[in-house]
Each structure stands twice: as C-alpha cells, then as structure tokens.
Amino acid sequence: MSHHSDPRALLTPAMRGLLNRIERAGHPPLHALSPDQAKASYLAGAPVLEIPLHKLTRVQELSIPARDDFKLTARLFAPSLDVALPVLLFFHGGGFTVGSVASHEPLCRHLAHLAHCAVISVDYRLAPEWKFPTAVEDAWDALAWLREQADALGLDAQRMAVGGDSAGGTLAAVTAIAARDAGWPLALQLLFYPGCAGHQDTASHKRFSKGFLLEKPHIDYFFNQYLRTEADRDDWRFAPLDGVDASGHPREPRWRGACMAGPRGMRSLTDEGVMYADRLRHAGVPVALEIYAGVVHGFINFGRAIPQALTAHNDAARALRKAFNPET
C-alpha cells in the first residue's frame, strides 16, 4: 500500500501500535458519550499513557476569582521554594469540553522540573455548561490575577509566559494577543498543536479526518458543545489567526517569542498552527516551530508510550528557559 493511500504509513511504529491498541480496547469514542461521560472517560484514560508524576518541592492549590466572582481552581507546581521563579500560566487541552488540571498534571509537573519555573495550571470553565467566550474570559482573568498576585506567591511578574495544548493552546494564543493589546509583556507563548482557525478546511484537516485520534466527529462534537452560534467561528477569540494582522503590520508585538509544537502531517491542526507561526514571524515575533514526525494530535500526553512526547517536553522546557533567561 502506498504512503498516499494510507496516511497511517507516515506514523512511527510506536504511534501506529498505540492507535491499534486503543482501537482494540474498544472504548466508545468521546463524541458518542454525553459531555459528563466524556469528561469522566477522558480523565480515567489520561494517566494510562502518561509519565508518572514528577516529585516537586512545591504544589499549591489556588483559587482565582473570575469577573463574575466564580472561583476558578488552579494548581501551582514549582521545583523549588526559590523566590522570584518565572512562571508559565498553562491551559489544558480537551476541546473546551473535557480535560482538567488533573488530566494534565504529569505534563505540568514535568515542565516545571525541566524548565526550572513555576507552572500554574488553570481549571477554566468547560462546555457545554459554559459556552464561548467563558473559557477565554477565564483565561484572561487568570492572567490578570497572576500579574497582581505574582509577588505574594513568590513569583516573578516580569517573567511570565502563557501556554497550552490544543484548545488550551487556542486560549494561550488568544490571551497573548489580548496581552499585546493591553501592553502586558509576556516572555513566551508556548503552544502545543493549538487550534487557530475558525473553519476546519485546511488540507491536513481533510487528510487526517479519520483514524488519527482527533477525528472530524470529535472536532464537531467539541465545537458544537462550546460555540453558541456559527458566527462564533469568525470571532478572533476562537480563531486567533484572525487576531494577528496578515499584512505583518499588527500593533506593536509584546511577546518576546513564541514556541509552537505539532506533529508533522499527522494532525488536523498542523496547517493552521503553521499559518499562525507565519503570521507571528511577519509581525516580527521570533518563533521556534518544532514539528514531530509520525505522531498524532494529543501526543504530548503519551510520554509513557511515545518517545517524541518526552522530546517535546524537553524542547518546550528549553524554549521556556531561553525566554525566561534571555541574557544567558
């Protein structure tokens, strides 16, 4: 069978084997479940492929007030009790519908350890109970709160980054654009395969719409839970590509850089992530774009099974260290 007729031929053997195991396990796909069942199923499955929790000196529960006085839970991870650690504000993936601080705790702990920084992971509100733009507003409110509270938490307000994977990458990118407009400097936006476009019409969406874990029915399911109307697809807070001027002359960029990671040709969001990276470059933002061959969307959480996940953790940590310590 040629590579062209079977896109799975592009996957690494480990990745192919993992997808086959997942299929054989026969769990119903998330899009076949109710939102509550999907949340529970995702959380139960999260630790199966993830690395063990890295031991850290400091793990602290936080409560972040949103604009409507709703209390968002968050968790701070830090490798030491040093004062003035730089901090990554992290938003988990899960299609705005599933996922939590708990599902992404192994990743956040590992990044804190590798990058020697604090990581604050936020439980923003999820669909369908909370529709767009609640998650966006929660992400922004978390950044505003962190700017005010950094000193009290022993963190360095001058060295802050935002990051996330998938839907969380979308939230991080949107938050970075809003921070630019507010004149709030950020050291980095760290994006793992973020959703950047409002319409899923790129070539990689069409080619990898089936058989690669994040399938078209999943994307439709998540977006149908999250969006109020079709018009929301054209809001830059859902499609951050639209928040960066294509002419390459946006308002003064406030980010020292961006680091983006995605699987090569293997995920439906690859193309739009590359387009977003190109827009940032045109705007004069230094971008490090890492593409990992032969893996699928979501691979960052498969550290126990997929070697590229750990490579990506290390690459992300290197980008954070460089952004937080530009003089070294």
Side-chain angles (χ1 to χ4, degrees):
M1 190 176 273
S2 76
H3 275 239
H4 296 295
S5 56
D6 179 16
R8 276 205 188 191
L10 299 169
L11 293 173
T12 66
M15 192 73 247
R16 262 203 313 271
L18 176 58
L19 287 183
N20 291 338
R21 289 208 306 279
I22 290 170
E23 281 171 10
R24 280 202 303 276
H27 297 299
L30 293 182
H31 59 77
L33 304 174
S34 75
D36 284 345
Q37 290 170 325
K39 287 175 172 65
S41 172
Y42 184 84
L43 185 58
V48 175
L49 299 171
E50 197 38 293
I51 55 174
L53 292 181
H54 198 93
K55 288 198 168 34
L56 293 173
T57 312
R58 182 179 177 194
V59 178
Q60 185 178 343
E61 302 300 322
L62 303 173
S63 176
I64 300 176
R67 61 193 65 187
D68 59 358
D69 292 329
F70 187 92
K71 296 289 187 284
L72 305 169
T73 57
R75 196 168 293 157
L76 185 159
F77 305 102
S80 73
L81 298 175
D82 298 351
V83 289
L85 278 178
V87 56
L88 168 67
L89 186 65
F90 187 86
F91 307 109
H92 66 78
F96 307 102
T97 307
V98 302
S100 62
V101 166
S103 66
H104 284 62
E105 182 158 344
L107 171 63
C108 289
R109 281 175 176 260
H110 203 212
L111 288 176
H113 164 70
L114 292 171
H116 200 78
C117 70
V119 177
I120 293 180
S121 180
V122 181
D123 265 326
Y124 56 89
R125 283 175 275 184
L126 297 176
E129 291 81 2
W130 302 96
K131 300 275 188 195
F132 174 86
T134 305
V136 176
E137 293 172 346
D138 286 351
W140 177 254
D141 293 349
L143 179 63
W145 175 87
L146 180 55
R147 279 171 54 88
E148 288 178 3
Q149 298 298 320
D151 286 351
L153 290 166
L155 306 173
D156 185 350
Q158 303 308 308
R159 293 187 296 162
M160 291 171 54
V162 291
D165 63 306
S166 196
T170 308
L171 293 175
V174 169
T175 302
I177 292 168
R180 171 199 69 187
D181 295 348
W184 293 1
L186 289 171
L188 188 71
Q189 42 180 321
L190 175 70
L191 310 176
F192 298 111
Y193 36 82
C196 297
H199 299 270
Q200 283 58 58
D201 49 13
T202 64
S204 62
H205 271 289
K206 292 189 176 69
R207 182 163 191 204
F208 304 111
S209 65
K210 189 152 175 39
F212 293 93
L213 225 52
L214 184 74
E215 301 184 330
K216 185 176 184 299
H218 283 112
I219 295 176
D220 295 343
Y221 172 80
F222 289 143
F223 291 176
N224 289 340
Q225 306 286 349
Y226 178 55
L227 298 176
R228 298 164 301 190
T229 64
E230 276 296 296
D232 284 341
R233 285 179 178 269
D234 298 314
D235 189 313
W236 71 270
R237 294 170 302 169
F238 177 68
L241 252 177
D242 299 334
V244 180
D245 187 340
S247 70
H249 299 289
R251 290 143 295 196
E252 181 64 26
R254 291 280 174 177
W255 319 302
R256 290 209 291 276
C259 174
M260 305 180 60
R264 175 180 288 126
M266 277 295 108
R267 67 188 182 96
S268 38
L269 301 184
T270 297
D271 291 356
E272 57 194 71
V274 172
M275 289 181 334
Y276 183 66
D278 286 344
R279 292 257 172 112
L280 294 182
R281 283 199 183 108
H282 280 302
V285 178
V287 177
L289 178 64
E290 300 281 350
I291 304 285
Y292 303 89
V295 291
V296 301
H297 187 88
F299 81 99
I300 199 80
N301 299 110
F302 302 161
R304 198 187 294 258
I306 302 296
Q308 286 93 331
L310 299 179
T311 306
H313 291 193
N314 280 293
D315 291 342
R318 193 176 312 117
L320 285 165
R321 288 197 305 268
K322 191 172 157 194
F324 288 144
N325 307 293
E327 65 289 340
T328 53

